[in-house]
mmCIF file with all atom_site columns, all heavy atoms in Angstrom:
data_model
loop_
_atom_site.group_PDB
_atom_site.id
_atom_site.type_symbol
_atom_site.label_atom_id
_atom_site.label_alt_id
_atom_site.label_comp_id
_atom_site.label_asym_id
_atom_site.label_entity_id
_atom_site.label_seq_id
_atom_site.pdbx_PDB_ins_code
_atom_site.Cartn_x
_atom_site.Cartn_y
_atom_site.Cartn_z
_atom_site.occupancy
_atom_site.B_iso_or_equiv
_atom_site.pdbx_formal_charge
_atom_site.auth_seq_id
_atom_site.auth_comp_id
_atom_site.auth_asym_id
_atom_site.auth_atom_id
_atom_site.pdbx_PDB_model_num
ATOM 1   N N   . SER A 1 1  ? 32.127 -23.818 -11.512 1.00 0.00 ? 1146 SER A N   1
ATOM 2   C CA  . SER A 1 1  ? 32.168 -25.238 -11.622 1.00 0.00 ? 1146 SER A CA  1
ATOM 3   C C   . SER A 1 1  ? 32.159 -25.691 -13.107 1.00 0.00 ? 1146 SER A C   1
ATOM 4   O O   . SER A 1 1  ? 31.303 -25.285 -13.849 1.00 0.00 ? 1146 SER A O   1
ATOM 5   C CB  . SER A 1 1  ? 30.870 -25.789 -10.963 1.00 0.00 ? 1146 SER A CB  1
ATOM 6   O OG  . SER A 1 1  ? 30.859 -27.231 -11.054 1.00 0.00 ? 1146 SER A OG  1
ATOM 7   N N   . GLY A 1 2  ? 33.176 -26.451 -13.454 1.00 0.00 ? 1147 GLY A N   1
ATOM 8   C CA  . GLY A 1 2  ? 33.333 -26.909 -14.860 1.00 0.00 ? 1147 GLY A CA  1
ATOM 9   C C   . GLY A 1 2  ? 34.203 -26.006 -15.679 1.00 0.00 ? 1147 GLY A C   1
ATOM 10  O O   . GLY A 1 2  ? 34.480 -26.370 -16.877 1.00 0.00 ? 1147 GLY A O   1
ATOM 11  N N   . GLY A 1 3  ? 34.656 -24.840 -15.198 1.00 0.00 ? 1148 GLY A N   1
ATOM 12  C CA  . GLY A 1 3  ? 35.429 -23.947 -15.934 1.00 0.00 ? 1148 GLY A CA  1
ATOM 13  C C   . GLY A 1 3  ? 36.821 -24.453 -16.280 1.00 0.00 ? 1148 GLY A C   1
ATOM 14  O O   . GLY A 1 3  ? 37.408 -25.194 -15.469 1.00 0.00 ? 1148 GLY A O   1
ATOM 15  N N   . PHE A 1 4  ? 37.308 -24.072 -17.452 1.00 0.00 ? 1149 PHE A N   1
ATOM 16  C CA  . PHE A 1 4  ? 38.689 -24.488 -17.864 1.00 0.00 ? 1149 PHE A CA  1
ATOM 17  C C   . PHE A 1 4  ? 39.645 -23.332 -17.598 1.00 0.00 ? 1149 PHE A C   1
ATOM 18  O O   . PHE A 1 4  ? 39.325 -22.185 -17.753 1.00 0.00 ? 1149 PHE A O   1
ATOM 19  C CB  . PHE A 1 4  ? 38.704 -24.833 -19.366 1.00 0.00 ? 1149 PHE A CB  1
ATOM 20  C CG  . PHE A 1 4  ? 37.978 -26.049 -19.722 1.00 0.00 ? 1149 PHE A CG  1
ATOM 21  C CD1 . PHE A 1 4  ? 36.590 -26.011 -19.963 1.00 0.00 ? 1149 PHE A CD1 1
ATOM 22  C CD2 . PHE A 1 4  ? 38.635 -27.255 -19.803 1.00 0.00 ? 1149 PHE A CD2 1
ATOM 23  C CE1 . PHE A 1 4  ? 35.881 -27.164 -20.310 1.00 0.00 ? 1149 PHE A CE1 1
ATOM 24  C CE2 . PHE A 1 4  ? 37.923 -28.417 -20.153 1.00 0.00 ? 1149 PHE A CE2 1
ATOM 25  C CZ  . PHE A 1 4  ? 36.566 -28.387 -20.384 1.00 0.00 ? 1149 PHE A CZ  1
ATOM 26  N N   . PHE A 1 5  ? 40.862 -23.638 -17.255 1.00 0.00 ? 1150 PHE A N   1
ATOM 27  C CA  . PHE A 1 5  ? 41.926 -22.610 -17.072 1.00 0.00 ? 1150 PHE A CA  1
ATOM 28  C C   . PHE A 1 5  ? 43.225 -23.186 -17.492 1.00 0.00 ? 1150 PHE A C   1
ATOM 29  O O   . PHE A 1 5  ? 43.483 -24.412 -17.608 1.00 0.00 ? 1150 PHE A O   1
ATOM 30  C CB  . PHE A 1 5  ? 41.961 -22.236 -15.580 1.00 0.00 ? 1150 PHE A CB  1
ATOM 31  C CG  . PHE A 1 5  ? 42.160 -23.322 -14.630 1.00 0.00 ? 1150 PHE A CG  1
ATOM 32  C CD1 . PHE A 1 5  ? 43.389 -23.837 -14.331 1.00 0.00 ? 1150 PHE A CD1 1
ATOM 33  C CD2 . PHE A 1 5  ? 41.039 -23.880 -13.968 1.00 0.00 ? 1150 PHE A CD2 1
ATOM 34  C CE1 . PHE A 1 5  ? 43.545 -24.862 -13.449 1.00 0.00 ? 1150 PHE A CE1 1
ATOM 35  C CE2 . PHE A 1 5  ? 41.196 -24.909 -13.087 1.00 0.00 ? 1150 PHE A CE2 1
ATOM 36  C CZ  . PHE A 1 5  ? 42.417 -25.425 -12.836 1.00 0.00 ? 1150 PHE A CZ  1
ATOM 37  N N   . ALA A 1 6  ? 44.145 -22.241 -17.839 1.00 0.00 ? 1151 ALA A N   1
ATOM 38  C CA  . ALA A 1 6  ? 45.495 -22.604 -18.272 1.00 0.00 ? 1151 ALA A CA  1
ATOM 39  C C   . ALA A 1 6  ? 46.436 -22.556 -17.082 1.00 0.00 ? 1151 ALA A C   1
ATOM 40  O O   . ALA A 1 6  ? 46.151 -21.963 -16.058 1.00 0.00 ? 1151 ALA A O   1
ATOM 41  C CB  . ALA A 1 6  ? 45.971 -21.648 -19.359 1.00 0.00 ? 1151 ALA A CB  1
ATOM 42  N N   . ALA A 1 7  ? 47.581 -23.250 -17.251 1.00 0.00 ? 1152 ALA A N   1
ATOM 43  C CA  . ALA A 1 7  ? 48.578 -23.212 -16.208 1.00 0.00 ? 1152 ALA A CA  1
ATOM 44  C C   . ALA A 1 7  ? 49.111 -21.801 -15.970 1.00 0.00 ? 1152 ALA A C   1
ATOM 45  O O   . ALA A 1 7  ? 49.292 -21.020 -16.917 1.00 0.00 ? 1152 ALA A O   1
ATOM 46  C CB  . ALA A 1 7  ? 49.782 -24.105 -16.609 1.00 0.00 ? 1152 ALA A CB  1
ATOM 47  N N   . ASN A 1 8  ? 49.271 -21.443 -14.711 1.00 0.00 ? 1153 ASN A N   1
ATOM 48  C CA  . ASN A 1 8  ? 49.784 -20.137 -14.273 1.00 0.00 ? 1153 ASN A CA  1
ATOM 49  C C   . ASN A 1 8  ? 48.828 -19.005 -14.543 1.00 0.00 ? 1153 ASN A C   1
ATOM 50  O O   . ASN A 1 8  ? 49.168 -17.795 -14.451 1.00 0.00 ? 1153 ASN A O   1
ATOM 51  C CB  . ASN A 1 8  ? 51.167 -19.844 -14.923 1.00 0.00 ? 1153 ASN A CB  1
ATOM 52  C CG  . ASN A 1 8  ? 51.986 -18.882 -14.104 1.00 0.00 ? 1153 ASN A CG  1
ATOM 53  O OD1 . ASN A 1 8  ? 52.031 -19.009 -12.848 1.00 0.00 ? 1153 ASN A OD1 1
ATOM 54  N ND2 . ASN A 1 8  ? 52.660 -17.971 -14.691 1.00 0.00 ? 1153 ASN A ND2 1
ATOM 55  N N   . GLU A 1 9  ? 47.598 -19.292 -14.873 1.00 0.00 ? 1154 GLU A N   1
ATOM 56  C CA  . GLU A 1 9  ? 46.600 -18.248 -15.117 1.00 0.00 ? 1154 GLU A CA  1
ATOM 57  C C   . GLU A 1 9  ? 46.084 -17.701 -13.790 1.00 0.00 ? 1154 GLU A C   1
ATOM 58  O O   . GLU A 1 9  ? 45.842 -18.449 -12.836 1.00 0.00 ? 1154 GLU A O   1
ATOM 59  C CB  . GLU A 1 9  ? 45.444 -18.783 -15.972 1.00 0.00 ? 1154 GLU A CB  1
ATOM 60  C CG  . GLU A 1 9  ? 44.512 -17.737 -16.468 1.00 0.00 ? 1154 GLU A CG  1
ATOM 61  C CD  . GLU A 1 9  ? 43.536 -18.279 -17.541 1.00 0.00 ? 1154 GLU A CD  1
ATOM 62  O OE1 . GLU A 1 9  ? 43.557 -19.511 -17.738 1.00 0.00 ? 1154 GLU A OE1 1
ATOM 63  O OE2 . GLU A 1 9  ? 42.836 -17.462 -18.127 1.00 0.00 ? 1154 GLU A OE2 1
ATOM 64  N N   . VAL A 1 10 ? 45.902 -16.340 -13.727 1.00 0.00 ? 1155 VAL A N   1
ATOM 65  C CA  . VAL A 1 10 ? 45.425 -15.728 -12.490 1.00 0.00 ? 1155 VAL A CA  1
ATOM 66  C C   . VAL A 1 10 ? 43.915 -15.939 -12.376 1.00 0.00 ? 1155 VAL A C   1
ATOM 67  O O   . VAL A 1 10 ? 43.133 -15.470 -13.229 1.00 0.00 ? 1155 VAL A O   1
ATOM 68  C CB  . VAL A 1 10 ? 45.731 -14.216 -12.446 1.00 0.00 ? 1155 VAL A CB  1
ATOM 69  C CG1 . VAL A 1 10 ? 45.170 -13.523 -11.237 1.00 0.00 ? 1155 VAL A CG1 1
ATOM 70  C CG2 . VAL A 1 10 ? 47.219 -13.938 -12.534 1.00 0.00 ? 1155 VAL A CG2 1
ATOM 71  N N   . LEU A 1 11 ? 43.504 -16.645 -11.359 1.00 0.00 ? 1156 LEU A N   1
ATOM 72  C CA  . LEU A 1 11 ? 42.119 -16.957 -11.149 1.00 0.00 ? 1156 LEU A CA  1
ATOM 73  C C   . LEU A 1 11 ? 41.427 -15.963 -10.176 1.00 0.00 ? 1156 LEU A C   1
ATOM 74  O O   . LEU A 1 11 ? 40.261 -15.680 -10.301 1.00 0.00 ? 1156 LEU A O   1
ATOM 75  C CB  . LEU A 1 11 ? 41.949 -18.393 -10.649 1.00 0.00 ? 1156 LEU A CB  1
ATOM 76  C CG  . LEU A 1 11 ? 42.461 -19.466 -11.597 1.00 0.00 ? 1156 LEU A CG  1
ATOM 77  C CD1 . LEU A 1 11 ? 42.189 -20.868 -10.951 1.00 0.00 ? 1156 LEU A CD1 1
ATOM 78  C CD2 . LEU A 1 11 ? 41.793 -19.342 -12.949 1.00 0.00 ? 1156 LEU A CD2 1
ATOM 79  N N   . VAL A 1 12 ? 42.180 -15.480 -9.201  1.00 0.00 ? 1157 VAL A N   1
ATOM 80  C CA  . VAL A 1 12 ? 41.618 -14.567 -8.194  1.00 0.00 ? 1157 VAL A CA  1
ATOM 81  C C   . VAL A 1 12 ? 42.707 -13.521 -7.924  1.00 0.00 ? 1157 VAL A C   1
ATOM 82  O O   . VAL A 1 12 ? 43.925 -13.844 -7.807  1.00 0.00 ? 1157 VAL A O   1
ATOM 83  C CB  . VAL A 1 12 ? 41.275 -15.298 -6.904  1.00 0.00 ? 1157 VAL A CB  1
ATOM 84  C CG1 . VAL A 1 12 ? 40.809 -14.291 -5.855  1.00 0.00 ? 1157 VAL A CG1 1
ATOM 85  C CG2 . VAL A 1 12 ? 40.199 -16.299 -7.129  1.00 0.00 ? 1157 VAL A CG2 1
ATOM 86  N N   . ARG A 1 13 ? 42.324 -12.219 -7.775  1.00 0.00 ? 1158 ARG A N   1
ATOM 87  C CA  . ARG A 1 13 ? 43.222 -11.173 -7.443  1.00 0.00 ? 1158 ARG A CA  1
ATOM 88  C C   . ARG A 1 13 ? 42.722 -10.476 -6.166  1.00 0.00 ? 1158 ARG A C   1
ATOM 89  O O   . ARG A 1 13 ? 41.614 -10.047 -6.087  1.00 0.00 ? 1158 ARG A O   1
ATOM 90  C CB  . ARG A 1 13 ? 43.384 -10.157 -8.538  1.00 0.00 ? 1158 ARG A CB  1
ATOM 91  C CG  . ARG A 1 13 ? 44.258 -8.964  -8.225  1.00 0.00 ? 1158 ARG A CG  1
ATOM 92  C CD  . ARG A 1 13 ? 44.653 -8.226  -9.458  1.00 0.00 ? 1158 ARG A CD  1
ATOM 93  N NE  . ARG A 1 13 ? 45.602 -9.021  -10.269 1.00 0.00 ? 1158 ARG A NE  1
ATOM 94  C CZ  . ARG A 1 13 ? 45.710 -9.012  -11.572 1.00 0.00 ? 1158 ARG A CZ  1
ATOM 95  N NH1 . ARG A 1 13 ? 44.831 -8.298  -12.298 1.00 0.00 ? 1158 ARG A NH1 1
ATOM 96  N NH2 . ARG A 1 13 ? 46.577 -9.734  -12.220 1.00 0.00 ? 1158 ARG A NH2 1
ATOM 97  N N   . ILE A 1 14 ? 43.617 -10.449 -5.148  1.00 0.00 ? 1159 ILE A N   1
ATOM 98  C CA  . ILE A 1 14 ? 43.327 -9.802  -3.880  1.00 0.00 ? 1159 ILE A CA  1
ATOM 99  C C   . ILE A 1 14 ? 43.800 -8.338  -3.996  1.00 0.00 ? 1159 ILE A C   1
ATOM 100 O O   . ILE A 1 14 ? 44.866 -8.046  -4.603  1.00 0.00 ? 1159 ILE A O   1
ATOM 101 C CB  . ILE A 1 14 ? 44.055 -10.521 -2.756  1.00 0.00 ? 1159 ILE A CB  1
ATOM 102 C CG1 . ILE A 1 14 ? 43.440 -11.923 -2.579  1.00 0.00 ? 1159 ILE A CG1 1
ATOM 103 C CG2 . ILE A 1 14 ? 43.944 -9.746  -1.433  1.00 0.00 ? 1159 ILE A CG2 1
ATOM 104 C CD1 . ILE A 1 14 ? 44.108 -12.806 -1.548  1.00 0.00 ? 1159 ILE A CD1 1
ATOM 105 N N   . ASP A 1 15 ? 43.109 -7.443  -3.360  1.00 0.00 ? 1160 ASP A N   1
ATOM 106 C CA  . ASP A 1 15 ? 43.452 -6.003  -3.397  1.00 0.00 ? 1160 ASP A CA  1
ATOM 107 C C   . ASP A 1 15 ? 44.914 -5.847  -2.902  1.00 0.00 ? 1160 ASP A C   1
ATOM 108 O O   . ASP A 1 15 ? 45.236 -6.202  -1.750  1.00 0.00 ? 1160 ASP A O   1
ATOM 109 C CB  . ASP A 1 15 ? 42.548 -5.240  -2.407  1.00 0.00 ? 1160 ASP A CB  1
ATOM 110 C CG  . ASP A 1 15 ? 42.749 -3.713  -2.497  1.00 0.00 ? 1160 ASP A CG  1
ATOM 111 O OD1 . ASP A 1 15 ? 43.781 -3.331  -3.075  1.00 0.00 ? 1160 ASP A OD1 1
ATOM 112 O OD2 . ASP A 1 15 ? 41.920 -2.986  -1.969  1.00 0.00 ? 1160 ASP A OD2 1
ATOM 113 N N   . PRO A 1 16 ? 45.820 -5.351  -3.765  1.00 0.00 ? 1161 PRO A N   1
ATOM 114 C CA  . PRO A 1 16 ? 47.236 -5.363  -3.449  1.00 0.00 ? 1161 PRO A CA  1
ATOM 115 C C   . PRO A 1 16 ? 47.748 -4.122  -2.783  1.00 0.00 ? 1161 PRO A C   1
ATOM 116 O O   . PRO A 1 16 ? 48.969 -4.013  -2.450  1.00 0.00 ? 1161 PRO A O   1
ATOM 117 C CB  . PRO A 1 16 ? 47.892 -5.483  -4.822  1.00 0.00 ? 1161 PRO A CB  1
ATOM 118 C CG  . PRO A 1 16 ? 46.964 -4.691  -5.742  1.00 0.00 ? 1161 PRO A CG  1
ATOM 119 C CD  . PRO A 1 16 ? 45.569 -4.916  -5.174  1.00 0.00 ? 1161 PRO A CD  1
ATOM 120 N N   . ARG A 1 17 ? 46.909 -3.107  -2.420  1.00 0.00 ? 1162 ARG A N   1
ATOM 121 C CA  . ARG A 1 17 ? 47.452 -1.820  -2.007  1.00 0.00 ? 1162 ARG A CA  1
ATOM 122 C C   . ARG A 1 17 ? 48.172 -1.914  -0.667  1.00 0.00 ? 1162 ARG A C   1
ATOM 123 O O   . ARG A 1 17 ? 49.234 -1.313  -0.494  1.00 0.00 ? 1162 ARG A O   1
ATOM 124 C CB  . ARG A 1 17 ? 46.315 -0.813  -1.873  1.00 0.00 ? 1162 ARG A CB  1
ATOM 125 C CG  . ARG A 1 17 ? 45.759 -0.352  -3.237  1.00 0.00 ? 1162 ARG A CG  1
ATOM 126 C CD  . ARG A 1 17 ? 44.548 0.542   -3.085  1.00 0.00 ? 1162 ARG A CD  1
ATOM 127 N NE  . ARG A 1 17 ? 43.390 -0.212  -2.557  1.00 0.00 ? 1162 ARG A NE  1
ATOM 128 C CZ  . ARG A 1 17 ? 42.223 0.387   -2.331  1.00 0.00 ? 1162 ARG A CZ  1
ATOM 129 N NH1 . ARG A 1 17 ? 42.085 1.665   -2.567  1.00 0.00 ? 1162 ARG A NH1 1
ATOM 130 N NH2 . ARG A 1 17 ? 41.220 -0.349  -1.887  1.00 0.00 ? 1162 ARG A NH2 1
ATOM 131 N N   . ASP A 1 18 ? 47.675 -2.713  0.211   1.00 0.00 ? 1163 ASP A N   1
ATOM 132 C CA  . ASP A 1 18 ? 48.430 -2.862  1.541   1.00 0.00 ? 1163 ASP A CA  1
ATOM 133 C C   . ASP A 1 18 ? 49.851 -3.438  1.289   1.00 0.00 ? 1163 ASP A C   1
ATOM 134 O O   . ASP A 1 18 ? 50.772 -3.058  1.953   1.00 0.00 ? 1163 ASP A O   1
ATOM 135 C CB  . ASP A 1 18 ? 47.665 -3.770  2.458   1.00 0.00 ? 1163 ASP A CB  1
ATOM 136 C CG  . ASP A 1 18 ? 46.392 -3.097  3.002   1.00 0.00 ? 1163 ASP A CG  1
ATOM 137 O OD1 . ASP A 1 18 ? 46.317 -1.853  2.959   1.00 0.00 ? 1163 ASP A OD1 1
ATOM 138 O OD2 . ASP A 1 18 ? 45.474 -3.847  3.402   1.00 0.00 ? 1163 ASP A OD2 1
ATOM 139 N N   . TYR A 1 19 ? 49.943 -4.301  0.285   1.00 0.00 ? 1164 TYR A N   1
ATOM 140 C CA  . TYR A 1 19 ? 51.223 -4.943  0.042   1.00 0.00 ? 1164 TYR A CA  1
ATOM 141 C C   . TYR A 1 19 ? 52.156 -4.050  -0.792  1.00 0.00 ? 1164 TYR A C   1
ATOM 142 O O   . TYR A 1 19 ? 53.330 -4.102  -0.645  1.00 0.00 ? 1164 TYR A O   1
ATOM 143 C CB  . TYR A 1 19 ? 50.955 -6.265  -0.669  1.00 0.00 ? 1164 TYR A CB  1
ATOM 144 C CG  . TYR A 1 19 ? 50.094 -7.223  0.167   1.00 0.00 ? 1164 TYR A CG  1
ATOM 145 C CD1 . TYR A 1 19 ? 48.719 -7.266  0.009   1.00 0.00 ? 1164 TYR A CD1 1
ATOM 146 C CD2 . TYR A 1 19 ? 50.694 -7.931  1.237   1.00 0.00 ? 1164 TYR A CD2 1
ATOM 147 C CE1 . TYR A 1 19 ? 47.894 -8.039  0.798   1.00 0.00 ? 1164 TYR A CE1 1
ATOM 148 C CE2 . TYR A 1 19 ? 49.867 -8.714  2.030   1.00 0.00 ? 1164 TYR A CE2 1
ATOM 149 C CZ  . TYR A 1 19 ? 48.520 -8.789  1.830   1.00 0.00 ? 1164 TYR A CZ  1
ATOM 150 O OH  . TYR A 1 19 ? 47.760 -9.553  2.625   1.00 0.00 ? 1164 TYR A OH  1
ATOM 151 N N   . ASP A 1 20 ? 51.579 -3.142  -1.528  1.00 0.00 ? 1165 ASP A N   1
ATOM 152 C CA  . ASP A 1 20 ? 52.382 -2.105  -2.237  1.00 0.00 ? 1165 ASP A CA  1
ATOM 153 C C   . ASP A 1 20 ? 53.003 -1.150  -1.196  1.00 0.00 ? 1165 ASP A C   1
ATOM 154 O O   . ASP A 1 20 ? 54.181 -0.769  -1.304  1.00 0.00 ? 1165 ASP A O   1
ATOM 155 C CB  . ASP A 1 20 ? 51.526 -1.321  -3.222  1.00 0.00 ? 1165 ASP A CB  1
ATOM 156 C CG  . ASP A 1 20 ? 51.125 -2.143  -4.417  1.00 0.00 ? 1165 ASP A CG  1
ATOM 157 O OD1 . ASP A 1 20 ? 51.828 -3.123  -4.716  1.00 0.00 ? 1165 ASP A OD1 1
ATOM 158 O OD2 . ASP A 1 20 ? 50.070 -1.837  -5.015  1.00 0.00 ? 1165 ASP A OD2 1
ATOM 159 N N   . TYR A 1 21 ? 52.164 -0.805  -0.188  1.00 0.00 ? 1166 TYR A N   1
ATOM 160 C CA  . TYR A 1 21 ? 52.679 0.089   0.873   1.00 0.00 ? 1166 TYR A CA  1
ATOM 161 C C   . TYR A 1 21 ? 53.811 -0.644  1.687   1.00 0.00 ? 1166 TYR A C   1
ATOM 162 O O   . TYR A 1 21 ? 54.801 -0.017  2.030   1.00 0.00 ? 1166 TYR A O   1
ATOM 163 C CB  . TYR A 1 21 ? 51.554 0.441   1.877   1.00 0.00 ? 1166 TYR A CB  1
ATOM 164 C CG  . TYR A 1 21 ? 50.414 1.136   1.225   1.00 0.00 ? 1166 TYR A CG  1
ATOM 165 C CD1 . TYR A 1 21 ? 49.162 1.060   1.782   1.00 0.00 ? 1166 TYR A CD1 1
ATOM 166 C CD2 . TYR A 1 21 ? 50.596 1.951   0.070   1.00 0.00 ? 1166 TYR A CD2 1
ATOM 167 C CE1 . TYR A 1 21 ? 48.044 1.744   1.186   1.00 0.00 ? 1166 TYR A CE1 1
ATOM 168 C CE2 . TYR A 1 21 ? 49.548 2.599   -0.513  1.00 0.00 ? 1166 TYR A CE2 1
ATOM 169 C CZ  . TYR A 1 21 ? 48.236 2.488   0.043   1.00 0.00 ? 1166 TYR A CZ  1
ATOM 170 O OH  . TYR A 1 21 ? 47.223 3.123   -0.523  1.00 0.00 ? 1166 TYR A OH  1
ATOM 171 N N   . ALA A 1 22 ? 53.649 -1.946  1.876   1.00 0.00 ? 1167 ALA A N   1
ATOM 172 C CA  . ALA A 1 22 ? 54.707 -2.684  2.592   1.00 0.00 ? 1167 ALA A CA  1
ATOM 173 C C   . ALA A 1 22 ? 55.996 -2.716  1.802   1.00 0.00 ? 1167 ALA A C   1
ATOM 174 O O   . ALA A 1 22 ? 57.084 -2.659  2.368   1.00 0.00 ? 1167 ALA A O   1
ATOM 175 C CB  . ALA A 1 22 ? 54.221 -4.067  2.885   1.00 0.00 ? 1167 ALA A CB  1
ATOM 176 N N   . ILE A 1 23 ? 55.893 -2.793  0.457   1.00 0.00 ? 1168 ILE A N   1
ATOM 177 C CA  . ILE A 1 23 ? 57.096 -2.753  -0.398  1.00 0.00 ? 1168 ILE A CA  1
ATOM 178 C C   . ILE A 1 23 ? 57.752 -1.447  -0.277  1.00 0.00 ? 1168 ILE A C   1
ATOM 179 O O   . ILE A 1 23 ? 59.017 -1.371  -0.127  1.00 0.00 ? 1168 ILE A O   1
ATOM 180 C CB  . ILE A 1 23 ? 56.700 -3.088  -1.841  1.00 0.00 ? 1168 ILE A CB  1
ATOM 181 C CG1 . ILE A 1 23 ? 56.280 -4.559  -1.962  1.00 0.00 ? 1168 ILE A CG1 1
ATOM 182 C CG2 . ILE A 1 23 ? 57.866 -2.781  -2.773  1.00 0.00 ? 1168 ILE A CG2 1
ATOM 183 C CD1 . ILE A 1 23 ? 55.808 -4.930  -3.335  1.00 0.00 ? 1168 ILE A CD1 1
ATOM 184 N N   . ALA A 1 24 ? 57.008 -0.360  -0.289  1.00 0.00 ? 1169 ALA A N   1
ATOM 185 C CA  . ALA A 1 24 ? 57.582 0.973   -0.192  1.00 0.00 ? 1169 ALA A CA  1
ATOM 186 C C   . ALA A 1 24 ? 58.285 1.178   1.147   1.00 0.00 ? 1169 ALA A C   1
ATOM 187 O O   . ALA A 1 24 ? 59.430 1.665   1.259   1.00 0.00 ? 1169 ALA A O   1
ATOM 188 C CB  . ALA A 1 24 ? 56.515 2.065   -0.366  1.00 0.00 ? 1169 ALA A CB  1
ATOM 189 N N   . ALA A 1 25 ? 57.647 0.681   2.229   1.00 0.00 ? 1170 ALA A N   1
ATOM 190 C CA  . ALA A 1 25 ? 58.288 0.815   3.533   1.00 0.00 ? 1170 ALA A CA  1
ATOM 191 C C   . ALA A 1 25 ? 59.559 -0.017  3.620   1.00 0.00 ? 1170 ALA A C   1
ATOM 192 O O   . ALA A 1 25 ? 60.568 0.367   4.192   1.00 0.00 ? 1170 ALA A O   1
ATOM 193 C CB  . ALA A 1 25 ? 57.334 0.367   4.613   1.00 0.00 ? 1170 ALA A CB  1
ATOM 194 N N   . ALA A 1 26 ? 59.583 -1.212  2.963   1.00 0.00 ? 1171 ALA A N   1
ATOM 195 C CA  . ALA A 1 26 ? 60.724 -2.042  3.002   1.00 0.00 ? 1171 ALA A CA  1
ATOM 196 C C   . ALA A 1 26 ? 61.852 -1.452  2.182   1.00 0.00 ? 1171 ALA A C   1
ATOM 197 O O   . ALA A 1 26 ? 63.042 -1.542  2.538   1.00 0.00 ? 1171 ALA A O   1
ATOM 198 C CB  . ALA A 1 26 ? 60.376 -3.434  2.483   1.00 0.00 ? 1171 ALA A CB  1
ATOM 199 N N   . GLU A 1 27 ? 61.551 -0.806  1.055   1.00 0.00 ? 1172 GLU A N   1
ATOM 200 C CA  . GLU A 1 27 ? 62.574 -0.105  0.273   1.00 0.00 ? 1172 GLU A CA  1
ATOM 201 C C   . GLU A 1 27 ? 63.187 1.004   1.070   1.00 0.00 ? 1172 GLU A C   1
ATOM 202 O O   . GLU A 1 27 ? 64.465 1.216   0.982   1.00 0.00 ? 1172 GLU A O   1
ATOM 203 C CB  . GLU A 1 27 ? 61.906 0.451   -1.009  1.00 0.00 ? 1172 GLU A CB  1
ATOM 204 C CG  . GLU A 1 27 ? 61.542 -0.694  -2.010  1.00 0.00 ? 1172 GLU A CG  1
ATOM 205 C CD  . GLU A 1 27 ? 60.790 -0.123  -3.207  1.00 0.00 ? 1172 GLU A CD  1
ATOM 206 O OE1 . GLU A 1 27 ? 60.273 1.017   -3.067  1.00 0.00 ? 1172 GLU A OE1 1
ATOM 207 O OE2 . GLU A 1 27 ? 60.685 -0.865  -4.232  1.00 0.00 ? 1172 GLU A OE2 1
ATOM 208 N N   . ALA A 1 28 ? 62.401 1.755   1.821   1.00 0.00 ? 1173 ALA A N   1
ATOM 209 C CA  . ALA A 1 28 ? 62.979 2.796   2.706   1.00 0.00 ? 1173 ALA A CA  1
ATOM 210 C C   . ALA A 1 28 ? 63.919 2.196   3.728   1.00 0.00 ? 1173 ALA A C   1
ATOM 211 O O   . ALA A 1 28 ? 64.955 2.728   4.061   1.00 0.00 ? 1173 ALA A O   1
ATOM 212 C CB  . ALA A 1 28 ? 61.851 3.546   3.368   1.00 0.00 ? 1173 ALA A CB  1
#
């Protein structure tokens, strides 16, 4: 509450491993 942030700044990161696997499967 009250924090400052810049435009396009990453505020939250979700665990991306499931989505990395989906990219690999889609490339195949």
Side-chain angles (χ1 to χ4, degrees):
S1146 180
F1149 291 86
F1150 54 83
N1153 206 39
E1154 192 168 7
V1155 177
L1156 299 182
V1157 176
R1158 176 164 290 147
I1159 294 174
D1160 187 348
R1162 287 176 293 180
D1163 290 340
Y1164 301 96
D1165 290 336
Y1166 301 152
I1168 290 175
E1172 289 174 342

